[in-house]
Amino acid sequence: MRSKTEHLLKSPLFRKRFGVDDTGLDIRARARVSYERAMAIGTAFDMTAEDLSTLSRKFWDLHSDPLLTFDGAAATLLTIQYNLVAGTLAQYLPSRNDLTPLVDDLLRYKIIGQFCLTELDHGLDARNLETTATLLPSGEFTIHTSTPRASKYMPPTIPVGIPCIGIVFARLMVDGEDRGVRPFIVPLNDGSSMYPGITARLLPWRGGTNPVNHSTTSFRNVRVPHSALLGPMDKPKNLRAAFFECIQRVAVGSIALACTGLTMMEVMIYIGAKYSLRRMVGPPGHQSPILRFRTQQIPILSALAQVHVLRALSNWATRYFSDPSIDFRVRHAVAACMKAVVIQCAQAATLSVSERCGAQGLFSVNQMSTFHAELRGIAIAEGDILAISIRLVAELLLGRYELPETVDPNSLLARHETGLFEERRTILALDSLHHEGRMSENHLLPYCQAMVEAAGHRMAYDAARAAGVMPALIDLYLSSIIKLDPAWYVENADMSRSAQAQMEDAALDAVLPHASSLAEGLDVAYCTTAPIVSDAEWETFSNSLSSFEGQRGYSDHSDYGLGVPVL
């Protein structure tokens, strides 16, 4: 079934174009176009506050929509607007009916919302942020940036023609007492000018991506009413738990952005597969597509298998995450695992597949290089993968909760996951016995991301089998994941290097005849703009290029003894 946004491709705003900057607009103007696209996509989904609160199927479909790959900046703006800002406000609606008009205006894009959490000096350690919100005798608060390095970092807060508010996280100070980090609603600009006391500085463009007006934002004793505070004013018993409750939409964003990254991977592998089937080599009359070569099949078919298996993981994980009866910590763990494996596979595939497209893979017109840059941002946004992996592994080793159990503990990927965790437990136990605290840290932190990825790949394998994904694709997925840690399987699964190679060969042979239909089955052709996918698209693109042609006449390059004959 096609998306809710397919009709937008017929509008001038989404006209099919070649190249990133062919509109002739400067960076700030390009960024404004992304706002318009975000509004168009958001409107098409007709999202409600209930969709945000319940994490409905519509919410996940929005973050998986193929049209988001058309403009990564629009995808960024949409997830900030709907998930981080409107989603945060929605969690307070049961006790704050006065917030309903604001949430409705955000959902209809009558106002723009920004999520101002991290600071220049406090990213992963945002709990230590330095922006303050001091209670005044009048009941109002003053929002203040204590030092230049406490400026909010990244949210695109500069005016773009529509009024903008921010969910600003600040340290609540009451009579000199620090009551922890809390969210406050702060009007930032009226669409044309920043409000008094607020300064936004435009950051440079992130090279290779669709431009977003990333900024630094600082506050100078900005007064806001008492109603600006979201949640109670009392000091919580557990400041850490209260902080993570305030930013719970960041955890939602981890899995939501993984959905977007997976869709980027689907479009990318569609482009790579179609090019590999179209590009011919060999003498006239004896040509064959480059996909006939094993060196082309390995990256193309492996990535194709991965997107089909990871889509099954996405379908299972979003349902699991949306179940309020499950411990939120476990749901967050599943989100971390999904994000880790999707971004791991997607980033690797954008490099391997684009390289196998030769010089064509270098040009942003063919989308792959842009996807790679966008995916780097996704890896950091809403939970840096390494950081959330460290936190997750630490909590699992401390026994605070457990990941969902595998349906097949004897599968290779389940054994790998178990083996990595048991290995760390053994080493950490020895460190503890010898009172080597610093050594324990060194023996754990560098391994956490690989452990989370192992758990994620096991979940993907289980999900694909449960969803009935083609067995040959599952086998090829399994083979591609074994290649990420081949030594473990030699040491612990009695799989020699030759056995691993034979496993991959058999899986590739089984998938190859279905390459074209599997690529088409991704159903992303309608929003793919890369001209290398077909001869017709390439001819249209080639004819659009600036042309420089020679003229009739004679030119005597006498200095070099050369001449150009008259035509």
Side-chain angles (χ1 to χ4, degrees), residues 269 291 294 296-310 345 413 457 461 464 469-484 500-515 518:
I269 189 54
L291 194 59
R294 207 49 140 194
Q296 198 77 9
Q297 294 169 10
I298 292 174
I300 300 294
L301 300 184
S302 295
L304 196 55
Q306 288 170 0
V307 296
H308 281 276
V309 170
L310 292 174
C345 291
L413 296 185
H457 287 305
Y461 178 78
V469 173
M470 180 190 296
L473 288 173
I474 297 176
D475 290 344
L476 185 51
Y477 176 82
L478 175 60
S479 176
S480 71
I481 303 309
I482 288 174
K483 289 174 70 174
L484 298 175
Q500 293 179 34
Q502 291 170 10
M503 179 182 183
E504 180 181 53
D505 279 341
L508 289 167
D509 288 341
V511 171
L512 181 59
H514 307 282
L518 289 169

Side-chain angles (χ1 to χ4, degrees), residues 403-480:
L403 293 174
E405 292 185 357
T406 179
V407 296
D408 183 5
N410 294 317
S411 73
L412 287 170
L413 296 185
R415 290 166 59 191
H416 181 240
E417 174 194 8
T418 300
L420 293 188
F421 275 85
E422 288 180 347
E423 182 180 63
R424 286 305 108 192
R425 286 191 179 96
T426 300
I427 292 173
L428 292 175
L430 290 173
D431 290 342
S432 177
L433 184 65
H434 295 93
H435 306 289
E436 295 286 353
R438 182 66 178 175
M439 192 65 72
S440 294
E441 182 178 296
N442 294 341
H443 285 161
L444 178 62
L445 300 189
Y447 301 90
C448 289
Q449 186 166 334
M451 294 164 72
V452 171
E453 288 166 350
H457 287 305
R458 182 268 297 171
M459 291 178 189
Y461 178 78
D462 287 349
R465 292 176 65 186
V469 173
M470 180 190 296
L473 288 173
I474 297 176
D475 290 344
L476 185 51
Y477 176 82
L478 175 60
S479 176
S480 71

Side-chain angles (χ1 to χ4, degrees), residues 290-500:
I290 57 176
L291 194 59
R292 71 177 288 267
F293 298 106
R294 207 49 140 194
T295 48
Q296 198 77 9
Q297 294 169 10
I298 292 174
I300 300 294
L301 300 184
S302 295
L304 196 55
Q306 288 170 0
V307 296
H308 281 276
V309 170
L310 292 174
R311 180 54 67 190
L313 170 65
S314 175
N315 292 336
W316 170 80
T318 51
R319 289 194 304 270
Y320 188 92
F321 191 92
S322 301
D323 186 347
S325 67
I326 300 173
D327 186 335
F328 185 75
R329 297 173 302 172
V330 180
R331 289 187 281 154
H332 190 182
V334 168
C337 291
M338 177 179 161
K339 182 178 181 181
V341 295
V342 167
I343 302 306
Q344 177 193 32
C345 291
Q347 285 188 311
T350 54
L351 289 176
S352 62
V353 173
S354 64
E355 285 175 357
R356 299 280 32 92
C357 292
Q360 297 282 21
L362 301 175
F363 290 88
S364 59
V365 67
N366 289 317
Q367 298 181 264
M368 291 176 281
S369 62
T370 301
F371 287 160
H372 183 258
E374 302 284 11
L375 286 164
R376 289 185 63 197
I378 289 176
I380 297 169
E382 271 82 296
D384 176 274
I385 291 174
L386 176 59
I388 61 178
S389 295
I390 291 171
R391 178 187 171 197
L392 171 56
V393 169
E395 292 182 339
L396 291 173
L397 292 177
L398 289 171
R400 291 178 177 168
Y401 51 84
E402 295 180 351
L403 293 174
E405 292 185 357
T406 179
V407 296
D408 183 5
N410 294 317
S411 73
L412 287 170
L413 296 185
R415 290 166 59 191
H416 181 240
E417 174 194 8
T418 300
L420 293 188
F421 275 85
E422 288 180 347
E423 182 180 63
R424 286 305 108 192
R425 286 191 179 96
T426 300
I427 292 173
L428 292 175
L430 290 173
D431 290 342
S432 177
L433 184 65
H434 295 93
H435 306 289
E436 295 286 353
R438 182 66 178 175
M439 192 65 72
S440 294
E441 182 178 296
N442 294 341
H443 285 161
L444 178 62
L445 300 189
Y447 301 90
C448 289
Q449 186 166 334
M451 294 164 72
V452 171
E453 288 166 350
H457 287 305
R458 182 268 297 171
M459 291 178 189
Y461 178 78
D462 287 349
R465 292 176 65 186
V469 173
M470 180 190 296
L473 288 173
I474 297 176
D475 290 344
L476 185 51
Y477 176 82
L478 175 60
S479 176
S480 71
I481 303 309
I482 288 174
K483 289 174 70 174
L484 298 175
D485 192 5
W488 188 92
Y489 293 92
V490 172
E491 295 172 349
N492 299 280
D494 196 27
M495 290 185 69
S496 66
R497 292 167 60 240
S498 62
Q500 293 179 34

Side-chain angles (χ1 to χ4, degrees), residues 20-47:
V20 172
D21 293 308
D22 67 329
T23 58
L25 301 175
D26 64 24
I27 295 300
R28 287 188 65 183
R30 280 286 318 287
R32 292 194 183 201
V33 170
S34 294
Y35 276 99
E36 295 177 23
R37 290 174 177 156
M39 294 175 198
I41 295 172
T43 301
F45 272 87
D46 192 27
M47 203 73 65

